[in-house]
Amino acid sequence: MNRMKKSATTVTEPIVTNPAVVSESGCFMVANSGHATYCSMVPKTPEERKFLFNAVNSPALSLRDFINKTINIRDVFAEECTFLDKETGAVSEGVRIVLIDADGNSYSTCSRGVFSGLSKLFALYGTPDHWTEPVPIMIKQITKSPKQAVLVFEIA
């Protein structure tokens, strides 16, 4: 089942249905839930697998705490998720993102603005496996209404 559609602003390889497939531009997986996952880091050693698991399973930092600060992105992890609005009961689809910086810190967000920015970043800069050095981004917040603020980023 192809859950992520390819486009000019996303990874140019199809998401495959094997449990884990390593390609030149990262590791693509579809978990038993049927939600697609992308990870730019392809761990080759037990230490790298441990680091990656810990970074994406329990990210140390919330991206929201870094508004107006610069992060030097080295790797990106993204997974489709289903969200439940506890007030309305509405269910929506989204993406959970973990950014890994040059120092190995991991930052978590579910911001659609960050997802949109990453799509554009990948289209213009290529995926992280093509970067010769980390990409510095400045985290920003856009207030859409008194109850809604969206995280975005700029190239620093």
Side-chain angles (χ1 to χ4, degrees):
M1 180 157 129
N2 187 355
R3 303 258 324 174
M4 292 182 122
K5 298 191 175 36
K6 60 183 181 173
S7 72
T9 60
T10 61
V11 177
T12 57
E13 296 179 347
I15 299 298
V16 294
T17 56
N18 297 12
V21 174
V22 176
S23 71
E24 290 180 15
S25 60
C27 185
F28 299 93
M29 299 168 277
V30 176
N32 290 337
S33 67
H35 289 158
T37 301
Y38 166 77
C39 183
S40 63
M41 181 181 180
V42 179
K44 294 178 176 59
T45 67
E47 293 80 21
E48 288 176 344
R49 284 190 283 279
K50 178 181 175 181
F51 166 80
L52 181 59
F53 177 85
N54 290 336
V56 302
N57 192 57
S58 54
L61 305 163
S62 171
L63 196 61
R64 187 165 299 285
D65 295 334
F66 290 84
I67 295 169
N68 295 320
K69 294 181 182 168
T70 299
I71 298 171
N72 295 305
I73 298 178
R74 183 188 72 207
D75 283 298
V76 176
F77 173 86
E79 64 181 336
E80 291 180 325
C81 295
T82 302
F83 299 101
L84 173 67
D85 185 318
K86 291 179 182 178
E87 291 180 19
T88 66
V91 175
S92 63
E93 297 296 317
V95 178
R96 176 180 170 266
I97 299 163
V98 177
L99 304 176
I100 300 173
D101 73 11
D103 297 323
N105 298 309
S106 55
Y107 308 81
S108 179
T109 185
C110 294
S111 171
R112 291 176 190 220
V114 172
F115 179 73
S116 176
L118 286 172
S119 296
K120 294 174 185 94
L121 179 68
F122 289 0
L124 297 171
Y125 283 68
T127 52
D129 58 301
H130 290 82
W131 302 345
T132 56
E133 57 189 46
V135 175
I137 62 169
M138 171 80 69
I139 307 304
K140 299 287 186 179
Q141 180 173 288
I142 298 172
T143 304
K144 294 187 145 203
S145 70
K147 287 187 163 187
Q148 186 182 17
V150 177
L151 292 181
V152 295
F153 65 85
E154 299 174 352
I155 303 297

